[in-house]
Amino acid sequence: MDQLTAPYTLEYIKINDIAIDQENYQRPVRPNWVKEIANGFDLFQLDPLVISLRNDGTPFAMNGQHRILALREMGYGEQVAPCLVYRNLTIELECKRFDTQGNQRRLTSQEQARAELRQGKPDMKIIAAVVETCGFQLNLHDSQRHHGQIAAVATMKRILRHYRGDLLTATLRTIADSYGTDIGPRDSIMMGVALFINRYQQYESFSKPRLI
């Protein structure tokens, strides 16, 4: 049987030895993203770094620069990390490898949320509980609007993370009281109601019955 031959080898390289080519193709470093990776670091999710071993023996990162910087920030610079190592690449081929790394299909909001809920992630557990408490069903299978189901996972995450959990509850309760629970509320309606409640609930003139 014919066997595919990978153009790389799996090797372990010290993190501090890996260089980053900002001049030719790497994106600008996002310090907030480095901090987010470091704060939520999970060794189980550490995929191999993609490395080009150049002719002078220096390993350059073609993928994973933010993970490398996060690992250094956490004090793991002298540790070795799993790497997929390419050899004999020109700068142009490195750029091509960097440019094509985004060709894999990203997870949809529903696919990611389904995995997060199965893992027991707190935000998704809260969202699922709020949706059920307010009389709706959570749709984690497609982005279509179905009667009585809410598919706007990204919008609910935004309300929960940037505002607070009770605002998400107030938003869905207001929508349920206004339109019933047989509809599949749009994300724009959900966000609009949340912003209105968040802005005006501090004033005595705000009346939920009037809004409904």
Side-chain angles (χ1 to χ4, degrees), residues 136-155:
F136 295 99
Q137 294 179 340
L138 188 60
N139 175 13
L140 297 181
H141 299 284
D142 59 57
S143 59
Q144 302 301 313
R145 295 174 61 222
H146 301 289
H147 291 298
Q149 297 184 2
I150 299 180
V153 178
T155 299

Side-chain angles (χ1 to χ4, degrees), residues 33-34 71 109 131-132 137 152 164 181 190 210:
W33 180 230
V34 173
L71 288 166
S109 295
V131 168
E132 183 177 357
Q137 294 179 340
R164 57 194 184 280
T181 56
M190 195 180 306
R210 238 178 121 186

Side-chain angles (χ1 to χ4, degrees), residues 50-105:
V50 181
I51 300 296
S52 173
L53 190 65
R54 294 187 180 172
N55 292 335
D56 64 356
T58 304
F60 275 81
M62 293 188 291
N63 173 271
Q65 70 162 341
H66 286 88
R67 281 177 288 157
I68 291 168
L69 296 174
L71 288 166
R72 289 175 182 169
E73 187 172 292
M74 291 186 291
Y76 293 123
E78 292 300 308
Q79 303 294 318
V80 295
C83 301
L84 303 180
V85 180
Y86 291 75
R87 286 175 167 78
N88 302 317
L89 296 185
T90 62
I91 297 296
E92 289 73 22
L93 285 175
E94 286 186 20
C95 293
K96 181 178 180 180
R97 178 63 177 81
F98 175 81
D99 186 48
T100 58
Q101 66 182 329
N103 288 347
Q104 293 181 337
R105 184 179 71 83

